Amino acid sequence: ECMACGVPCVVSDIEMNHELIEEGENGLMTPMHPDVLSGKMMLMMLRPVEIGQDARKTIIEKGNYQIEMTKAEELYRGLLNED
């Protein structure tokens, strides 16, 4: 969701994030370690607009944002027990 809005993000370095995140290009990945996380956040602050724009471009090219939003909405409605 952040990527689709052009917001740069720092994400956990887990397999599913490797599908969209290109390290240093459209986001940053980090293991769950406070020192590494803070370092990645500092790097993000050096190029937030550029990384955010590249993130949005990635979602437009690789992802189908509408399908993902529909899935998220269905999940949230299910959690709220709404139809």
Side-chain angles (χ1 to χ4, degrees):
E1 292 172 355
C2 290
M3 291 176 73
C5 293
V7 176
C9 53
V10 178
V11 300
S12 298
D13 189 3
I14 58 174
E15 189 65 33
M16 66 184 262
N17 288 333
H18 289 249
E19 295 176 20
L20 290 176
I21 301 293
E22 296 173 32
E23 179 68 22
E25 297 298 319
N26 62 5
L28 296 170
M29 288 186 277
T30 182
M32 296 308 294
H33 188 279
D35 292 336
V36 178
L37 176 60
S38 63
K40 295 285 183 156
M41 292 174 78
M42 294 296 289
L43 283 173
M44 183 66 68
M45 292 178 8
L46 296 174
R47 301 178 30 235
V49 173
E50 182 180 302
I51 292 174
Q53 289 172 343
D54 289 343
R56 181 164 170 71
K57 182 179 175 186
T58 298
I59 292 298
I60 290 169
E61 291 175 355
K62 292 185 178 181
N64 187 328
Y65 183 66
Q66 188 59 44
I67 290 172
E68 295 303 317
M69 287 303 298
T70 300
K71 287 180 188 177
E73 183 179 350
E74 289 172 1
L75 172 66
Y76 294 140
R77 287 190 185 279
L79 292 171
L80 295 170
N81 293 318
E82 294 181 3
D83 291 324

